[in-house]
Amino acid sequence: MWIDLNVDAGESFGNWKLGQDEELFPLVSSVNVACGFHAGDPLTMRRTLELAQRAGIAVGAHPGFPDLVGFGRREMAAGPEEVYADVLYQVGALAAFLKVAGMPLHHVKPHGALYNRATRDAPTAAAIARAVRDYDPGLPLVVLPGTPLEAEAQRLGLRTVAEAFPERGYTQDGRLAPRGTPGAWIHDPELAARRAVQMVLWGRVEAVDGGVVPVRAQTLCIHGDNPQALAIAKAVREALEREEVAIRTY
């Protein structure tokens, strides 16, 4: 048995630093790199790819809303055509740096409020999927399973990769608990590790509002901006490996 372990990274901007990318990368198998809209800048993108190349991990694009001040986590009134253009622009920007580095683009995973909207709004989901398909129809799209993002990507013929979040709370309907609500974030590394094992081995996890939620996962995400990201990544990896689950990319 195996699972991909991914981390959102490259989210610094200029002299403002965020995350522990250099320490995190050896613990994961793939990375989602900010493309300059919600975080990141050209030099940060280039340096992040250098770290990923040294660690031997796969690199994906992490496009979001153009919202540096809000870190891409604020809802924006962007219609489908604007979402399409924004995603295509960001994927192309990262792809240019990857080409120079001699590295392939491995996947695309939307960020923050853009990802969340695509889990409930079919036109937004379709715009994201169309941008990925038009860039490269063989490029996998990381999705929250059972949502419009998964459905629209598959309708357009894209390969989808089901994602789960051991350090985020789930509600009974299988959605991520809204940020700022009780239980939305898991900061205890050992609890996150137990949840990761539940997700991978048993296909379920406890909901913040009671009961158990079915989970389908091909990749597990660690948020690089979680203050406990490094400790969580270590605990999750160690717990999975104790259960003889290999960490490798899809």
Side-chain angles (χ1 to χ4, degrees):
M1 181 176 287
W2 62 272
I3 190 75
D4 176 66
L5 188 59
N6 78 74
V7 64
D8 299 338
E11 293 179 322
S12 298
F13 185 78
N15 289 329
W16 181 73
K17 304 300 179 185
L18 179 69
Q20 298 172 279
D21 294 354
E22 189 167 2
E23 294 84 0
L24 278 167
F25 284 12
L27 299 171
V28 301
S29 47
S30 67
V31 59
N32 319 301
V33 179
C35 303
F37 270 34
H38 79 274
D41 56 71
L43 188 55
T44 297
M45 290 165 70
R46 182 181 178 188
R47 288 172 174 167
T48 303
L49 296 190
E50 291 172 352
L51 291 175
Q53 192 169 40
R54 288 204 296 270
I57 58 177
V59 173
H62 200 31
F65 281 133
D67 179 27
L68 284 171
V69 173
F71 198 67
R73 292 197 172 130
R74 299 184 296 188
E75 184 65 37
M76 299 191 73
E81 289 307 307
E82 187 174 356
V83 168
Y84 170 90
D86 284 352
V87 170
L88 186 59
Y89 183 97
Q90 292 173 82
V91 170
L94 184 66
F97 286 101
L98 285 165
K99 181 177 180 180
V100 170
M103 302 169 68
L105 178 60
H106 182 262
H107 64 274
V108 175
K109 174 191 165 180
H111 166 81
L114 179 62
Y115 185 104
N116 290 337
R117 188 201 288 179
T119 67
R120 64 181 187 273
D121 181 67
T124 300
I128 294 169
R130 189 161 50 91
V132 175
R133 181 204 61 186
D134 290 354
Y135 178 81
D136 180 356
L139 198 57
L141 181 62
V142 177
V143 302
L144 188 67
T147 65
L149 184 58
E150 181 179 54
E152 291 298 324
Q154 292 178 352
R155 182 180 65 82
L156 292 174
L158 288 177
R159 177 188 173 194
T160 56
V161 178
E163 183 175 41
F165 299 82
E167 33 89 282
R168 289 280 275 113
Y170 281 74
T171 56
Q172 289 183 357
D173 62 0
R175 307 280 179 162
L176 296 178
R179 292 173 183 272
T181 61
W185 276 102
I186 309 297
H187 295 295
D188 180 352
E190 294 307 317
L191 176 56
R194 289 196 298 273
R195 291 166 63 85
V197 169
Q198 291 174 346
M199 291 171 168
V200 175
L201 296 186
W202 305 329
R204 64 179 187 264
V205 73
E206 292 87 359
V208 296
D209 46 358
V212 175
V213 180
V215 172
R216 177 161 45 92
Q218 296 165 280
T219 184
L220 301 179
C221 175
I222 305 296
H223 287 88
D225 63 312
N226 187 326
Q228 298 300 318
L230 183 58
I232 288 172
K234 288 179 178 177
V236 166
R237 182 172 186 125
E238 289 172 0
L240 290 169
E241 290 180 336
R242 281 197 300 270
E243 298 293 339
E244 299 185 348
V245 177
I247 307 300
R248 67 175 179 83
T249 196
Y250 41 89

